[in-house]
Amino acid sequence: MACRGATMVALLLAAVAATCARAQLHDKFYSESCPSVEDVVRKEMVRALSLAPSLAGPLLRMHFHDCFVRGCDGSVLLDSANKTAEKDAQPNQTLRGFGFVERVKAAVEKACPDTVSCADILALIARDAVWLSKGPFWTVPLGRRDGSVSISNETDALPPPTSNFTVLTQLFAAVNLDAKDLVVLSAGHTIGTSHCFSFSDRLYNFTGMENPSDIDPSLEPQYMMRLKSKCASLNDNTTLVEMDPGSFKTFDTDYFKLVSKRRGLFHSDGALLTDPFTRAYVQRHATGAFMDEFFADFAASMIKMGNANPLTGSQGEIRKKCNVVNH
């Protein structure tokens, strides 16, 4: 089984290699300038996740949020004195792990000063977050450079958890991702947690009536009641709920089982059942019989997303610290 899975991954990754090459990204980018970069990143990841395994989901999410806005350029990491950067925008208010990224960057800088971009470090962190959660491993094409612009209102490009299928496909298409990438990458929700306010409209305010009976009819009733027992009202801004109850620290196909039973946490999860192609994909992988296939698909889609409009060559810079541009 493992060999067959590795073959699937190799074939699918070869299919996206040409695209990465056009963008000057390749897996041997630091082979001479910083050959130890992946070992340095992984050492920090192993240490962090052994202490806080729930950090894997947020770190994966951070890479997503970086790539959907201005491409994968590390702009989500930048601070702003007047709170107008991407990380200050509402969709990014719940991101976690910024301090950890700085710690990894410092370790990489110690090994290879002024060489590896924060954007590349985010891509490596995301891969290791998945792999260390028992998910697939893939070779990350590298060579991104860091941007110097981060604007809060540009986070409109991020797919909201309240999105329907049409909105989701439009936002994914904007970064050259298709319907297959949408359903595959949505399964990143198999690890991590979410705040109640990201989905509580499905429980109390689905049509704008703001009362306990104003529920999303597409949500499975028993699951809805379980969520209501955790999220007491629309005003709950602190409670965290597992996105994949029972295995939220393990990267697996249980996400598809939940979505197929109308137990996807977000409206965007449920939206996958409204399109024939994505519904068929969900139902196929809900069986749990095609884990290798899904792992290969996820690896390929992550590489494709990681190739979203990167800065390369002489573009951008290599930040010394991820939260500030160089001076």
Side-chain angles (χ1 to χ4, degrees):
M1 181 72 79
C3 292
R4 188 163 65 249
T7 301
M8 285 184 174
V9 172
L11 290 172
L12 281 167
L13 300 195
V16 297
T19 304
C20 292
R22 285 199 298 274
Q24 302 175 27
L25 303 183
H26 55 90
D27 60 317
K28 303 297 184 185
F29 188 84
Y30 297 112
S31 61
E32 295 184 7
S33 60
C34 191
S36 65
V37 59
E38 296 200 35
D39 291 335
V40 173
V41 172
R42 186 161 306 123
K43 181 179 178 181
E44 294 296 328
M45 285 292 292
V46 169
R47 180 183 300 154
L49 295 187
S50 66
L51 297 172
S54 62
L55 188 60
L59 292 173
L60 173 60
R61 183 176 172 229
M62 193 179 293
H63 183 46
F64 276 71
H65 282 224
D66 185 40
C67 291
F68 270 81
V69 182
R70 289 187 166 265
C72 310
D73 67 346
S75 55
V76 72
L77 301 171
L78 286 171
D79 289 337
S80 168
N82 56 1
K83 303 297 181 183
T84 56
E86 289 173 33
K87 65 165 58 172
D88 301 306
Q90 193 278 330
N92 289 331
Q93 290 287 302
T94 56
L95 286 180
R96 292 193 296 126
F98 290 108
F100 172 72
V101 174
E102 292 296 340
R103 187 158 67 249
V104 176
K105 173 62 171 173
V108 172
E109 282 294 302
K110 184 177 180 179
C112 312
D114 306 319
T115 303
V116 181
S117 68
C118 297
D120 275 347
I121 288 173
L122 270 187
L124 291 170
I125 284 175
R127 188 273 310 279
D128 285 355
V130 171
W131 182 59
L132 293 171
S133 300
K134 301 182 180 179
F137 182 91
W138 62 92
T139 301
V140 179
L142 300 167
R144 301 168 190 80
R145 290 176 59 90
D146 296 322
S148 58
V149 177
S150 185
I151 302 172
S152 60
N153 63 16
E154 291 187 350
T155 57
D156 290 344
L158 292 169
T162 55
S163 299
N164 61 30
F165 188 79
T166 299
V167 172
L168 288 170
T169 52
Q170 291 172 345
L171 292 172
F172 271 65
V175 288
N176 197 37
L177 298 174
D178 57 25
K180 182 175 181 180
D181 299 311
L182 165 59
V183 65
V184 169
L185 293 176
S186 292
H189 293 164
T190 189
I191 54 174
T193 58
S194 172
H195 286 82
C196 289
F197 62 75
S198 294
F199 58 86
S200 58
D201 64 308
R202 305 185 76 190
L203 310 178
Y204 301 106
N205 193 35
F206 189 63
T207 64
M209 295 170 60
E210 293 192 33
N211 66 57
S213 63
D214 191 14
I215 60 173
D216 182 350
S218 69
L219 199 58
E220 195 273 325
Q222 290 186 348
Y223 182 55
M224 178 198 65
M225 294 306 297
R226 191 176 308 153
L227 291 176
K228 280 193 170 188
S229 71
K230 296 178 181 293
C231 304
S233 73
L234 277 172
N235 301 317
D236 188 335
N237 295 319
T238 57
T239 303
L240 288 171
V241 174
E242 297 173 7
M243 292 191 289
D244 186 352
S247 67
F248 77 107
K249 296 177 184 178
T250 303
F251 195 96
D252 53 27
T253 56
D254 282 0
Y255 167 81
F256 295 115
K257 296 177 185 177
L258 293 170
V259 173
S260 70
K261 296 177 180 178
R262 299 188 293 125
R263 293 185 175 188
L265 187 61
F266 306 116
H267 185 76
S268 58
D269 294 325
L272 299 176
L273 297 177
T274 65
D275 173 78
F277 174 81
T278 54
R279 180 172 63 249
Y281 192 96
V282 167
Q283 292 171 340
R284 175 178 175 81
H285 291 284
T287 66
F290 306 98
M291 183 81 82
D292 291 341
E293 179 182 293
F294 164 60
F295 276 14
D297 287 346
F298 192 84
S301 289
M302 284 295 291
I303 291 177
K304 189 175 175 183
M305 183 189 74
N307 193 46
N309 304 314
L311 301 175
T312 58
S314 61
Q315 298 173 312
E317 63 181 8
I318 303 297
R319 290 186 217 136
K320 295 181 182 297
K321 293 186 177 181
C322 292
N323 66 321
V324 292
V325 297
N326 297 336
H327 298 292

